[in-house]
Amino acid sequence: MTDDIQHSQALALFEHAHRHQMRREYADAIILYKRSIALFPTAKAYTFLGWTYSLLHRYEEAIAACKEAITVDPTYGNPYNDIGAYLIELGQPEEAIPWLQNAITAPRYDSPQYAHFNLGRVHEALGKYEAALTCYNQALQIDPMYLSAAAIKYRLLGKMN
């Protein structure tokens, strides 16, 4: 099978997996993401596989899938941010910092506001409120309509007063 055909089939499987994921049919999504990866591994498919694992609170597997994504394409920012978010969920905020910083500087990351937001969560958890506020402001500078960042920023401001 040529690479173009494999890529097309892998993309179709990825899209099918994503539909299952959005319907909360996680077992089916995992199977289809893995089939997509077997045909034509992409950083996006590994990242979405990781996201699906995270929705099941299987964070170690989610992190492993994201590390595979980085192996496939180290310029893709999403898996760096996702690893940082999963480490936060595992109660390891300090370990999340380098992953989130890599997400912020990744050449191919369309949503760096999420990494800034997550880095703010880390700083806030560590009691570094000014640094957290800076991160939330950076997230809002990138996306002024990022309502979660606005809400947590104002909650933090209230806490600081």
Side-chain angles (χ1 to χ4, degrees):
M1 201 178 306
T2 68
D3 277 354
D4 287 341
I5 293 171
Q6 283 181 306
H7 185 254
S8 294
Q9 289 179 340
L11 181 58
L13 286 166
F14 173 88
E15 290 169 355
H16 195 55
H18 188 252
R19 284 192 297 275
H20 279 285
Q21 181 181 354
M22 294 298 101
R23 290 191 303 254
R24 297 183 179 163
E25 298 164 347
Y26 302 133
D28 291 331
I30 289 168
I31 290 165
L32 291 167
Y33 283 132
K34 286 182 174 182
R35 286 181 56 202
S36 173
I37 290 165
L39 271 177
F40 196 94
T42 65
K44 188 173 182 179
Y46 274 117
T47 302
F48 276 65
L49 174 62
W51 181 23
T52 306
Y53 282 135
S54 79
L55 294 168
L56 296 167
H57 305 282
R58 292 164 57 180
Y59 297 114
E60 298 297 338
E61 289 167 284
I63 290 169
C66 287
K67 286 181 178 179
E68 288 294 330
I70 292 166
T71 299
V72 172
D73 183 358
T75 69
Y76 187 52
N78 299 60
Y80 295 102
N81 176 67
D82 291 359
I83 290 172
Y86 305 149
L87 288 168
I88 293 168
E89 292 301 317
L90 288 170
Q92 301 170 21
E94 290 175 332
E95 289 84 351
I97 293 170
W99 296 101
L100 297 170
Q101 289 171 333
N102 283 334
I104 289 167
T105 60
R108 282 192 343 102
Y109 191 33
D110 295 333
S111 304
Q113 66 270 27
Y114 298 128
H116 285 288
F117 176 79
N118 284 325
L119 192 54
R121 291 174 55 208
V122 167
H123 288 307
E124 188 172 349
L126 298 174
K128 299 176 182 177
Y129 296 154
E130 291 295 332
L133 193 57
T134 298
C135 291
Y136 297 144
N137 282 330
Q138 289 170 323
L140 287 164
Q141 194 170 31
I142 295 165
D143 181 1
M145 298 307 295
Y146 189 8
L147 299 180
S148 297
I152 204 164
K153 171 190 170 178
Y154 290 112
R155 184 194 47 75
L156 177 59
L157 285 169
K159 190 185 218 180
M160 292 170 69
N161 286 328

